[in-house]
Amino acid sequence: LVYSPRLDICYGWDLIRALSRIPDPAVRGLIVGDGPGRPWLQELAREQGVADRVVFCGRIPYEHVPTYLRVMDIA
């Protein structure tokens, strides 16, 4: 998760913004990965009022990626 100061975005920003437009509390987001942009994304989630609906699971081993993909409805 790398923040781009030039673009003022980080991978995952679109998920957080989309969640802020979906009022259904059952719809949740999963962000897999880690990096210097993670605090920026977490702050964005708080600002957008969806921090309780976004799970940041951090970095995972490559061999576990398929398991995480299987739990997603949209990737």
Side-chain angles (χ1 to χ4, degrees), residues 48-59:
Q48 296 290 314
V50 296
D52 61 332
R53 294 172 50 205
V54 180
V55 176
F56 290 87
C57 68
R59 186 165 297 173

Side-chain angles (χ1 to χ4, degrees), residues 11-67:
Y11 288 118
W13 71 270
D14 47 352
L15 172 65
I16 291 170
R17 294 268 168 85
L19 281 175
S20 73
R21 292 180 172 96
I22 301 171
D24 185 348
V27 178
R28 301 176 55 88
L30 171 65
I31 296 181
V32 178
D34 208 353
R38 182 174 175 170
W40 185 87
L41 281 177
Q42 290 171 316
E43 178 59 27
L44 179 63
R46 280 190 289 278
E47 290 172 4
Q48 296 290 314
V50 296
D52 61 332
R53 294 172 50 205
V54 180
V55 176
F56 290 87
C57 68
R59 186 165 297 173
I60 59 166
Y62 181 76
E63 60 271 10
H64 294 160
V65 171
T67 301

